[in-house]
Amino acid sequence: MLTGTGPYLVDRVDGGLHRIAVVSAKIGEWEDDYRARIRGLPVRTAVDDLHDALCGVVAKRGRIHAVRTLRQRLPVLSPAEAIEYVSALLDGDAPARLVAVATKELVEPLNPVLAVETILSEAAIRAGRRPEE
């Protein structure tokens, strides 16, 4: 028998059982956490929006304007890093070390109060374990 606050989510794919914090359920914040951390699915972030904006600026006004836009949004980057970032982004992928800086600056860390908690994972189900009471 499970006790504590719910609501609970049963994963239709693997049968896992997860607890969603009440506040998170009310405001809908649990969905991105569940998709990214539990299911391993890609979730759009502010960095994705930045990349889209930079590509749009390049298309309309050119690379130099995109570098300026990037420096306005991420002033922690040096001019050389901003040029490297935009150039690499246009060639396929921005450098991981610079994307990490963008992520740190633009993506808010998950408030642990809003996180989804796994009560019973797929592996535990296969092993025949039950949720702790």
Side-chain angles (χ1 to χ4, degrees):
M1 179 172 115
L2 292 174
T3 59
T5 60
Y8 295 94
L9 168 73
V10 177
D11 190 314
R12 292 187 324 204
V13 176
D14 66 15
L17 179 63
H18 311 279
R19 182 183 346 222
I20 301 169
V22 173
V23 172
S24 187
K26 291 277 187 195
I27 61 176
E29 290 291 320
W30 65 274
E31 294 180 36
D32 284 345
D33 176 48
Y34 173 76
R35 286 186 185 109
R37 202 170 46 80
I38 307 292
R39 299 293 302 142
L41 300 172
V43 175
R44 280 192 66 82
T45 67
V47 175
D48 297 313
D49 295 338
L50 172 66
H51 290 177
D52 291 348
L54 293 174
C55 289
V57 171
V58 168
K60 289 181 182 174
R61 303 191 69 203
R63 187 180 300 240
I64 296 301
H65 285 283
V67 170
R68 286 184 192 144
T69 300
L70 178 59
R71 291 266 297 138
Q72 287 171 351
R73 297 213 187 154
L74 293 173
V76 298
L77 295 180
S78 70
E81 289 173 324
I83 291 168
E84 178 186 359
Y85 194 115
V86 170
S87 297
L89 180 63
L90 296 176
D91 289 338
D93 275 329
R97 67 183 173 76
L98 297 178
V99 172
V101 171
T103 300
K104 181 181 175 195
E105 294 294 316
L106 299 175
V107 179
E108 290 186 35
L110 176 68
N111 180 338
V113 172
L114 304 177
V116 175
E117 176 189 359
T118 299
I119 305 295
L120 191 63
S121 68
E122 175 186 15
I125 292 169
R126 288 184 182 183
R129 285 189 252 153
R130 297 178 157 267
E132 294 181 19
E133 297 184 23

